[in-house]
Amino acid sequence: MKLSLFGATGPTGKYIIEEAFKQGYSLSVYTRNARKVDAFAGKVDVVVGDLHDTAAIAKCVRGADAVISALGPNSLKVQGDRPVMQGLSNIISVMRQMGVHRLIQISTAAYRDPRDGFALGAHAFVLLFRVIVPRAYEDIKATGELIASSGLDWTLVRIPNLKDDPANGNIDVGWYGRSKLSMKLSRGNLAKFLVDQVTDKTFVRAAPGIANR
Ligand SMILES: NC(=O)c1ccc[n+]([C@@H]2O[C@H](COP(=O)([O-])OP(=O)(O)OC[C@H]3O[C@@H](n4cnc5c(N)ncnc54)[C@H](OP(=O)(O)O)[C@@H]3O)[C@@H](O)[C@H]2O)c1
């Protein structure tokens, strides 16, 4: 089975790639700078392009069983109007053309799931984020809303602060304000949850929060 991966050049990317290998997937990785995935040269197909280049996006998505996206605004230097949301709009239209239905995207509490209650911690975190980096907040929220109305088999995996630790399987999954969710998550645990969603249909068309236990 093949996965198409976007946004893998950040620190979470290598965990996702390694987890996908571990689960036996082949990978097509999309990047605007091939040097950032040099460590995986020869092991993954690398497709170079920006998020406006639908021909290059199609090359990456063609033949994939699912798309995983770790795309997120580079907080302090968001250029243009909601660039990640615009990029996802192009990815979604390519997925529709190619008949690829499964989309798994990293998100945060900036996007609300209808199952959420009121969670003081998550609410305060989102408010602070909104005040400090309003353009990043708007991009994450709009990306979530776009994906939720896409008609695809989507999952938004909502996360708190990330830390650079391997997977240990100790996570809580649920809804803000209704489930116990801490404010930290290991990148290894995130990568495993993302790749598990390819075949696990529990959270299709839902936006679970996940966090380290
Ligand atoms: N770090 C945290 O504590 C935290 C907390 C909450 C949510 N998140 C989210 O978790 C995900 C992974 O985070 P991370 O810290 O591992 O990595 P990151 O550095 O935030 O990775 C962002 C990825 O998105 C890509 N990207 C951003 N804007 C883009 C644009 N306009 N066009 C094309 N690509 C673009 C980056 O590509 P380039 O390398 O080319 O810039 C990179 O691959 C991100 O979605 C992030 O927003 C992180």
Side-chain angles (χ1 to χ4, degrees), residues 51-127:
L51 295 176
H52 302 289
D53 187 344
T54 48
I57 292 172
K59 223 171 135 188
C60 186
V61 169
R62 187 171 292 117
D65 294 283
V67 172
I68 295 181
S69 166
L71 289 168
N74 300 114
S75 298
L76 298 171
K77 45 177 179 171
V78 174
Q79 312 250 317
D81 176 28
R82 298 168 295 173
V84 172
M85 185 273 283
Q86 307 279 2
L88 257 301
S89 172
N90 292 329
I91 294 167
I92 288 167
S93 63
V94 167
M95 287 178 70
R96 287 194 187 119
Q97 283 164 28
M98 307 252 147
V100 177
H101 303 290
R102 187 80 178 106
L103 173 60
I104 300 143
Q105 165 74 45
I106 295 178
S107 185
T108 72
Y111 173 82
R112 274 186 69 78
D113 186 281
R115 299 161 190 81
D116 287 343
F118 177 75
L120 186 60
H123 189 67
F125 179 77
V126 169
L127 261 181

Coordinates of all heavy atoms in Angstrom, one line a residue, residues 51-127:
L51 N 2.5 24.4 -3.1 CA 1.1 23.9 -2.9 C 0.1 24.5 -3.9 O -1.1 24.2 -3.9 CB 0.6 24.3 -1.5 CG 1.4 23.5 -0.3 CD1 0.9 24.0 1.0 CD2 1.2 22.0 -0.5
H52 N 0.7 25.2 -4.9 CA -0.2 25.7 -6.0 C 0.0 24.8 -7.3 O -0.8 24.9 -8.2 CB 0.2 27.1 -6.5 CG 0.1 28.1 -5.4 ND1 -1.1 28.5 -4.9 CD2 1.1 28.7 -4.7 CE1 -0.9 29.4 -3.9 NE2 0.4 29.5 -3.7
D53 N 1.0 23.9 -7.2 CA 1.3 23.2 -8.4 C 0.5 21.9 -8.5 O 1.0 20.8 -8.0 CB 2.9 22.9 -8.3 CG 3.4 22.2 -9.6 OD1 2.6 21.7 -10.4 OD2 4.6 22.2 -9.8
T54 N -0.7 21.9 -9.1 CA -1.6 20.8 -9.0 C -1.0 19.6 -9.9 O -1.3 18.4 -9.5 CB -3.0 21.1 -9.5 OG1 -2.9 21.9 -10.7 CG2 -3.7 22.0 -8.5
A55 N -0.2 19.9 -10.9 CA 0.4 18.8 -11.7 C 1.3 18.0 -10.8 O 1.3 16.7 -10.8 CB 1.1 19.3 -12.9
A56 N 2.2 18.7 -10.0 CA 3.1 18.0 -9.1 C 2.4 17.3 -8.0 O 2.7 16.2 -7.6 CB 4.1 19.0 -8.6
I57 N 1.3 17.9 -7.5 CA 0.5 17.3 -6.4 C -0.1 16.0 -6.9 O -0.1 15.0 -6.2 CB -0.6 18.3 -5.9 CG1 0.0 19.5 -5.1 CG2 -1.6 17.6 -5.0 CD1 -0.9 20.6 -4.8
A58 N -0.6 16.0 -8.2 CA -1.2 14.8 -8.8 C -0.1 13.7 -8.9 O -0.4 12.5 -8.6 CB -1.7 15.2 -10.2
K59 N 1.1 14.1 -9.2 CA 2.2 13.1 -9.3 C 2.4 12.4 -7.9 O 2.6 11.2 -7.8 CB 3.5 13.8 -9.7 CG 4.3 13.1 -10.7 CD 5.4 14.0 -11.2 CE 6.7 13.2 -11.2 NZ 7.9 14.0 -11.5
C60 N 2.2 13.2 -6.9 CA 2.5 12.6 -5.5 C 1.3 11.8 -5.0 O 1.4 10.8 -4.4 CB 2.7 13.8 -4.5 SG 3.1 13.2 -2.9
V61 N 0.0 12.2 -5.4 CA -1.2 11.5 -4.9 C -1.6 10.3 -5.7 O -2.2 9.4 -5.2 CB -2.3 12.6 -4.9 CG1 -3.7 11.9 -4.7 CG2 -2.1 13.6 -3.9
R62 N -1.1 10.3 -7.0 CA -1.5 9.2 -7.9 C -1.2 7.8 -7.3 O 0.0 7.6 -6.9 CB -0.8 9.3 -9.3 CG -1.3 8.3 -10.3 CD -0.8 8.6 -11.7 NE -1.3 9.9 -12.3 CZ -0.6 11.0 -12.6 NH1 0.7 11.0 -12.4 NH2 -1.2 12.1 -13.1
G63 N -2.1 6.9 -7.3 CA -1.9 5.5 -6.8 C -1.8 5.4 -5.3 O -1.6 4.3 -4.8
A64 N -2.1 6.5 -4.5 CA -2.0 6.4 -3.1 C -3.3 5.8 -2.5 O -4.4 6.1 -3.0 CB -1.7 7.8 -2.5
D65 N -3.2 5.1 -1.4 CA -4.3 4.6 -0.7 C -4.9 5.6 0.3 O -6.0 5.6 0.7 CB -4.0 3.3 0.1 CG -3.6 2.2 -0.9 OD1 -4.6 1.6 -1.5 OD2 -2.4 2.0 -1.2
A66 N -4.0 6.6 0.7 CA -4.4 7.6 1.6 C -3.4 8.7 1.5 O -2.2 8.6 1.1 CB -4.4 7.1 3.0
V67 N -3.8 9.9 1.9 CA -2.9 11.1 2.1 C -2.8 11.5 3.5 O -3.8 11.6 4.2 CB -3.5 12.3 1.3 CG1 -2.7 13.6 1.5 CG2 -3.6 12.0 -0.2
I68 N -1.6 11.6 4.0 CA -1.4 12.1 5.4 C -0.7 13.5 5.2 O 0.2 13.7 4.5 CB -0.5 11.2 6.2 CG1 -1.1 9.9 6.4 CG2 -0.1 11.9 7.5 CD1 -0.3 8.9 7.3
S69 N -1.3 14.5 5.9 CA -0.7 15.8 5.8 C -0.3 16.3 7.2 O -1.2 16.5 8.1 CB -1.7 16.8 5.2 OG -1.3 18.1 5.4
A70 N 1.0 16.7 7.4 CA 1.4 17.4 8.6 C 1.6 18.8 8.3 O 2.3 19.6 9.0 CB 2.8 16.7 9.0
L71 N 1.1 19.3 7.1 CA 1.2 20.7 6.8 C 0.6 21.6 7.9 O -0.5 21.3 8.4 CB 0.4 21.0 5.5 CG 1.0 20.4 4.2 CD1 0.0 20.6 3.0 CD2 2.3 21.2 3.8
G72 N 1.3 22.6 8.2 CA 0.8 23.6 9.2 C 1.6 24.9 9.0 O 2.7 24.9 8.5
P73 N 0.9 26.0 9.4 CA 1.5 27.3 9.1 C 2.9 27.4 9.9 O 2.9 27.0 11.1 CB 0.5 28.3 9.6 CG -0.4 27.5 10.5 CD -0.4 26.1 10.0
N74 N 3.9 27.9 9.3 CA 5.1 28.2 10.0 C 4.8 29.5 10.8 O 4.9 30.6 10.3 CB 6.3 28.4 9.0 CG 6.6 27.2 8.1 OD1 6.4 27.2 7.0 ND2 7.0 26.1 8.8
S75 N 4.5 29.3 12.1 CA 3.8 30.2 12.9 C 4.1 31.7 12.7 O 3.3 32.5 12.6 CB 4.0 29.9 14.4 OG 3.5 28.7 14.6
L76 N 5.4 32.1 12.8 CA 5.7 33.5 12.8 C 5.9 34.1 11.5 O 6.1 35.3 11.3 CB 7.0 33.7 13.7 CG 6.8 33.3 15.1 CD1 8.2 33.3 15.9 CD2 5.8 34.2 15.9
K77 N 5.8 33.3 10.4 CA 6.1 33.9 9.1 C 5.1 33.4 8.0 O 5.5 33.0 7.0 CB 7.5 33.6 8.7 CG 7.9 32.1 8.9 CD 9.3 31.8 8.5 CE 9.6 30.3 8.8 NZ 10.8 29.7 8.3
V78 N 3.8 33.4 8.4 CA 2.8 33.0 7.5 C 2.7 34.0 6.3 O 2.5 35.2 6.6 CB 1.4 32.9 8.2 CG1 0.3 32.6 7.2 CG2 1.4 31.8 9.2
Q79 N 2.9 33.6 5.1 CA 2.9 34.4 4.0 C 1.5 34.3 3.2 O 1.1 33.2 3.0 CB 3.9 34.0 3.0 CG 5.3 33.8 3.6 CD 6.3 34.9 3.2 OE1 6.3 35.3 2.1 NE2 7.0 35.4 4.1
G80 N 0.9 35.4 2.9 CA -0.3 35.4 2.1 C -1.5 35.0 3.0 O -1.5 34.9 4.2
D81 N -2.7 34.7 2.3 CA -3.9 34.5 2.9 C -4.1 32.9 3.2 O -4.3 32.2 2.2 CB -5.1 35.0 2.1 CG -6.4 34.7 2.7 OD1 -6.5 34.5 3.9 OD2 -7.4 34.5 1.9
R82 N -4.0 32.5 4.4 CA -4.2 31.1 4.8 C -3.6 30.1 3.8 O -4.3 29.3 3.1 CB -5.7 30.9 4.9 CG -6.3 31.7 6.0 CD -7.8 31.7 6.0 NE -8.3 32.4 4.8 CZ -9.6 32.4 4.4 NH1 -10.5 31.9 5.1 NH2 -9.9 33.0 3.3
P83 N -2.3 30.1 3.7 CA -1.6 29.3 2.6 C -1.8 27.8 2.8 O -1.9 27.1 1.7 CB -0.1 29.7 2.8 CG 0.0 30.2 4.2 CD -1.3 30.9 4.5
V84 N -1.9 27.3 4.0 CA -2.1 25.9 4.2 C -3.5 25.5 3.7 O -3.7 24.5 3.0 CB -1.8 25.5 5.6 CG1 -2.2 24.0 5.9 CG2 -0.3 25.7 6.0
M85 N -4.5 26.3 4.1 CA -5.9 26.0 3.6 C -5.9 26.1 2.1 O -6.5 25.2 1.5 CB -6.8 27.1 4.2 CG -8.3 26.8 3.9 SD -8.8 27.5 2.4 CE -9.0 29.2 2.8
Q86 N -5.3 27.0 1.5 CA -5.3 27.1 0.0 C -4.6 25.9 -0.6 O -5.1 25.3 -1.6 CB -4.5 28.3 -0.5 CG -4.9 29.7 0.1 CD -6.1 30.3 -0.6 OE1 -6.7 29.6 -1.5 NE2 -6.5 31.4 -0.1
G87 N -3.5 25.4 0.0 CA -2.8 24.2 -0.4 C -3.7 23.0 -0.3 O -3.8 22.2 -1.2
L88 N -4.4 22.9 0.9 CA -5.3 21.7 1.1 C -6.4 21.7 0.0 O -6.8 20.7 -0.4 CB -5.8 21.7 2.5 CG -5.1 20.7 3.4 CD1 -5.3 19.3 3.0 CD2 -3.7 21.0 3.7
S89 N -6.9 22.9 -0.3 CA -7.9 23.0 -1.3 C -7.4 22.4 -2.6 O -8.2 21.6 -3.3 CB -8.3 24.5 -1.5 OG -9.2 24.6 -2.6
N90 N -6.2 22.6 -3.0 CA -5.6 22.0 -4.2 C -5.4 20.5 -4.0 O -5.7 19.7 -5.0 CB -4.3 22.7 -4.6 CG -4.5 24.1 -5.0 OD1 -5.5 24.4 -5.6 ND2 -3.5 25.0 -4.7
I91 N -4.9 20.1 -2.9 CA -4.7 18.6 -2.6 C -6.1 17.9 -2.7 O -6.2 16.9 -3.3 CB -4.1 18.4 -1.2 CG1 -2.6 19.0 -1.3 CG2 -4.1 16.9 -0.9 CD1 -2.0 19.1 0.1
I92 N -7.1 18.5 -2.1 CA -8.5 17.9 -2.1 C -9.0 17.7 -3.5 O -9.5 16.7 -3.9 CB -9.4 18.7 -1.2 CG1 -9.1 18.5 0.3 CG2 -10.9 18.3 -1.4 CD1 -9.7 19.4 1.3
S93 N -8.8 18.8 -4.3 CA -9.4 18.7 -5.7 C -8.6 17.6 -6.5 O -9.2 16.9 -7.3 CB -9.5 20.0 -6.4 OG -8.3 20.6 -6.6
V94 N -7.3 17.5 -6.3 CA -6.5 16.4 -6.9 C -7.0 15.1 -6.4 O -7.2 14.1 -7.2 CB -5.0 16.6 -6.7 CG1 -4.2 15.4 -7.1 CG2 -4.5 17.8 -7.4
M95 N -7.2 14.9 -5.1 CA -7.7 13.6 -4.5 C -9.0 13.2 -5.2 O -9.2 12.1 -5.6 CB -7.8 13.7 -3.0 CG -6.5 13.8 -2.3 SD -6.8 14.0 -0.5 CE -7.4 12.4 -0.1
R96 N -9.9 14.2 -5.3 CA -11.2 13.9 -6.0 C -11.0 13.4 -7.4 O -11.6 12.4 -7.8 CB -12.1 15.1 -6.0 CG -12.6 15.5 -4.6 CD -13.8 16.5 -4.8 NE -14.2 17.0 -3.5 CZ -14.1 18.3 -3.1 NH1 -13.6 19.2 -3.9 NH2 -14.6 18.6 -1.9
Q97 N -10.1 14.1 -8.2 CA -9.9 13.7 -9.6 C -9.3 12.3 -9.6 O -9.6 11.5 -10.6 CB -8.9 14.6 -10.2 CG -9.4 16.0 -10.6 CD -8.3 17.0 -10.9 OE1 -7.2 16.6 -11.3 NE2 -8.7 18.3 -10.7
M98 N -8.4 11.9 -8.6 CA -7.7 10.7 -8.7 C -8.5 9.5 -8.0 O -8.0 8.4 -7.9 CB -6.4 10.8 -8.0 CG -5.5 11.9 -8.5 SD -4.2 11.2 -9.4 CE -3.9 12.5 -10.6
G99 N -9.6 9.9 -7.4 CA -10.4 8.9 -6.7 C -9.7 8.4 -5.4 O -9.9 7.2 -4.9
V100 N -8.9 9.3 -4.8 CA -8.3 8.9 -3.5 C -9.2 9.6 -2.4 O -9.4 10.8 -2.4 CB -6.8 9.5 -3.4 CG1 -6.2 9.2 -2.0 CG2 -6.0 8.9 -4.5
H101 N -9.7 8.8 -1.4 CA -10.7 9.3 -0.5 C -10.3 9.6 0.9 O -10.9 10.3 1.6 CB -11.9 8.3 -0.4 CG -12.5 7.9 -1.8 ND1 -13.2 8.8 -2.5 CD2 -12.4 6.8 -2.6 CE1 -13.6 8.3 -3.6 NE2 -13.1 7.1 -3.7
R102 N -9.1 8.9 1.3 CA -8.8 9.0 2.7 C -7.8 10.1 3.0 O -6.7 10.1 2.4 CB -8.2 7.6 3.2 CG -7.9 7.5 4.7 CD -9.2 7.2 5.4 NE -9.0 7.1 6.9 CZ -9.3 8.0 7.8 NH1 -9.9 9.1 7.4 NH2 -9.1 7.8 9.0
L103 N -8.1 11.1 3.8 CA -7.2 12.2 4.1 C -7.1 12.4 5.6 O -8.1 12.5 6.3 CB -7.8 13.5 3.5 CG -7.1 14.8 3.9 CD1 -5.7 14.9 3.4 CD2 -7.9 16.0 3.3
I104 N -5.9 12.4 6.1 CA -5.6 12.5 7.5 C -4.7 13.7 7.7 O -3.6 13.8 7.1 CB -4.9 11.2 8.0 CG1 -5.8 10.0 7.8 CG2 -4.5 11.3 9.5 CD1 -5.0 8.7 7.4
Q105 N -5.2 14.7 8.5 CA -4.5 16.0 8.6 C -4.3 16.3 10.1 O -5.2 16.2 10.9 CB -5.4 17.1 8.0 CG -5.0 18.5 8.3 CD -3.8 19.0 7.6 OE1 -3.6 18.7 6.4 NE2 -2.9 19.7 8.3
I106 N -3.1 16.8 10.4 CA -2.8 17.3 11.8 C -3.6 18.6 11.9 O -3.6 19.5 11.1 CB -1.3 17.5 12.0 CG1 -0.6 16.2 11.9 CG2 -1.1 18.2 13.3 CD1 0.9 16.3 12.1
S107 N -4.2 18.8 13.1 CA -4.9 20.0 13.4 C -4.7 20.3 14.9 O -3.8 19.7 15.6 CB -6.4 19.9 13.1 OG -7.0 21.1 13.3
T108 N -5.4 21.3 15.4 CA -5.3 21.7 16.8 C -6.7 22.0 17.3 O -7.7 22.0 16.6 CB -4.4 22.9 17.1 OG1 -5.1 24.1 16.6 CG2 -3.1 22.8 16.4
A109 N -6.8 22.4 18.6 CA -8.1 22.8 19.2 C -8.6 24.1 18.6 O -9.8 24.5 18.8 CB -7.9 23.0 20.7
A110 N -7.9 24.7 17.7 CA -8.4 25.9 16.9 C -9.6 25.5 16.1 O -10.5 26.3 15.7 CB -7.3 26.5 16.0
Y111 N -9.6 24.2 15.7 CA -10.8 23.6 15.0 C -11.6 22.9 16.1 O -11.1 22.1 16.8 CB -10.4 22.6 13.9 CG -11.6 21.9 13.3 CD1 -12.3 22.5 12.3 CD2 -12.0 20.7 13.8 CE1 -13.5 21.9 11.8 CE2 -13.1 20.1 13.3 CZ -13.9 20.7 12.3 OH -15.0 20.1 11.8
R112 N -12.9 23.2 16.1 CA -13.8 22.5 17.1 C -14.6 21.4 16.5 O -15.1 21.5 15.4 CB -14.8 23.5 17.7 CG -14.2 24.3 18.9 CD -15.3 25.2 19.5 NE -16.3 24.5 20.2 CZ -16.2 24.0 21.4 NH1 -15.1 24.1 22.1 NH2 -17.2 23.3 22.0
D113 N -14.6 20.2 17.2 CA -15.4 19.1 16.8 C -16.8 19.3 17.5 O -16.8 19.7 18.7 CB -14.7 17.8 17.2 CG -15.5 16.6 16.6 OD1 -16.5 16.2 17.2 OD2 -15.1 16.0 15.6
P114 N -17.9 19.0 16.8 CA -19.2 19.1 17.5 C -19.3 18.3 18.8 O -20.2 18.6 19.6 CB -20.2 18.6 16.5 CG -19.4 18.5 15.2 CD -18.0 18.5 15.5
R115 N -18.4 17.3 19.0 CA -18.5 16.5 20.2 C -17.8 17.2 21.4 O -17.9 16.7 22.5 CB -17.9 15.1 20.0 CG -18.6 14.3 18.9 CD -17.6 13.2 18.4 NE -18.0 12.5 17.3 CZ -17.9 12.9 16.0 NH1 -17.3 14.1 15.8 NH2 -18.3 12.2 15.0
D116 N -17.1 18.2 21.1 CA -16.3 18.9 22.2 C -17.2 19.5 23.2 O -18.3 20.0 22.9 CB -15.5 20.1 21.6 CG -14.2 19.6 20.9 OD1 -13.9 18.4 21.0 OD2 -13.7 20.4 20.1
G117 N -16.8 19.6 24.5 CA -17.4 20.4 25.5 C -16.5 21.6 25.7 O -15.8 22.0 24.8
F118 N -16.6 22.2 26.9 CA -15.8 23.4 27.2 C -14.6 22.9 28.0 O -14.7 22.3 29.1 CB -16.5 24.5 28.0 CG -15.6 25.6 28.4 CD1 -15.3 26.5 27.4 CD2 -15.2 25.7 29.7 CE1 -14.4 27.6 27.8 CE2 -14.3 26.8 30.0 CZ -13.9 27.7 29.1
A119 N -13.4 23.1 27.5 CA -12.1 22.7 28.2 C -11.3 24.0 28.5 O -10.8 24.6 27.5 CB -11.4 21.8 27.3
L120 N -11.2 24.4 29.7 CA -10.5 25.6 30.1 C -9.1 25.6 29.5 O -8.7 26.6 28.9 CB -10.5 25.8 31.6 CG -10.0 27.1 32.1 CD1 -10.8 28.3 31.5 CD2 -10.0 27.2 33.6
G121 N -8.3 24.6 29.7 CA -6.9 24.5 29.3 C -6.8 24.7 27.8 O -6.1 25.6 27.3
A122 N -7.5 23.9 27.0 CA -7.5 24.0 25.6 C -8.0 25.3 25.1 O -7.4 25.9 24.2 CB -8.3 22.9 24.9
H123 N -9.0 25.9 25.7 CA -9.6 27.1 25.3 C -8.6 28.3 25.5 O -8.4 29.1 24.7 CB -10.9 27.4 26.1 CG -11.7 28.5 25.7 ND1 -12.3 28.5 24.5 CD2 -11.9 29.7 26.3 CE1 -13.0 29.7 24.3 NE2 -12.7 30.4 25.4
A124 N -7.9 28.2 26.7 CA -6.9 29.3 27.0 C -5.7 29.2 26.0 O -5.2 30.2 25.5 CB -6.4 29.1 28.4
F125 N -5.3 28.0 25.7 CA -4.2 27.8 24.8 C -4.6 28.3 23.4 O -3.8 29.1 22.8 CB -4.0 26.2 24.7 CG -2.9 25.8 23.8 CD1 -1.5 26.0 24.1 CD2 -3.2 25.3 22.5 CE1 -0.5 25.6 23.2 CE2 -2.2 24.9 21.6 CZ -0.8 25.1 22.0
V126 N -5.8 28.1 22.9 CA -6.2 28.5 21.6 C -6.3 30.1 21.6 O -5.9 30.7 20.7 CB -7.6 27.9 21.2 CG1 -8.2 28.6 20.0 CG2 -7.4 26.4 21.0
L127 N -6.9 30.6 22.7 CA -7.0 32.1 22.8 C -5.6 32.8 22.7 O -5.5 33.8 22.0 CB -7.7 32.5 24.1 CG -9.1 32.8 24.1 CD1 -9.6 33.1 25.5 CD2 -9.5 33.9 23.1

